Amino acid sequence: MAITYSIRDLAKEFDLTTRAIRFYEDMGLLAPARTGPGGRTRTYTARDRTRLKLTLRAKRLGLSLTEAKEIIDLYDSPRDTGVQLQKFLAVLEQHRRQLEAQMADLQANLDEVKEHEKEARTLLAKVGRNPA
């Protein structure tokens, strides 16, 4: 018999709210079986658990949920692994470039703040006050 998980099991394991898991389901990242009256009980498989784990990993990397779904869906398809890895690398490269651009912007901003601090200290010294 295959191992299954309830929404509470996954929420506890991954320190998420059940609402977050339902959101990932709405985004098409998870597809639990529905049982019970009106299909209200969700039963998650090991595949769903793995997809959730990969989704959270992609989120930590800063990928959007759309990008995460695209990559995770590639791994579910029977296509060539090389194609999947190329797509994954392309997404990672694009994301890395975005992060590097953000980092350069932050560094420029930090340099500007430092310059203003230096100017303010110089002006304070001219008026005879010691900067704090």
Side-chain angles (χ1 to χ4, degrees):
M1 185 172 160
I3 297 174
T4 59
Y5 306 89
S6 71
I7 194 168
R8 283 192 172 87
D9 293 336
L10 293 179
K12 183 177 179 181
E13 179 179 353
F14 293 102
D15 194 25
L16 296 169
T17 63
T18 55
R19 183 177 181 188
I21 293 174
R22 288 191 301 272
F23 176 74
Y24 293 145
E25 182 182 335
D26 290 343
M27 293 291 294
L29 288 156
L30 305 173
R34 302 289 197 125
T35 58
R40 293 186 53 147
T41 304
R42 292 168 168 85
T43 304
Y44 296 89
T45 63
R47 176 185 173 273
D48 290 313
R49 182 186 170 279
T50 299
R51 287 180 65 91
L52 179 57
K53 186 175 183 177
L54 291 171
T55 298
L56 297 174
R57 185 176 298 158
K59 192 175 165 192
R60 277 193 308 276
L61 286 172
L63 301 178
S64 71
L65 290 180
T66 303
E67 290 169 322
K69 182 180 183 321
E70 193 175 313
I71 292 168
I72 293 167
D73 286 347
L74 282 174
Y75 283 96
D76 275 348
S77 74
R79 297 191 316 181
D80 179 26
T81 304
V83 172
Q84 296 162 354
L85 289 173
Q86 286 174 346
K87 174 63 179 173
F88 184 52
L89 282 172
V91 169
L92 287 177
E93 180 180 351
Q94 177 185 359
H95 186 63
R96 179 183 43 78
R97 285 182 182 165
Q98 288 172 342
L99 289 174
E100 287 171 347
Q102 289 173 348
M103 194 163 54
D105 289 344
L106 286 171
Q107 187 60 54
N109 198 348
L110 184 59
D111 291 344
E112 187 176 341
V113 167
K114 288 177 181 178
E115 186 59 34
H116 287 299
E117 285 176 330
K118 182 180 174 184
E119 290 172 8
R121 284 189 176 93
T122 301
L123 289 172
L124 274 176
K126 285 181 181 179
V127 294
R129 295 187 182 159
N130 289 330

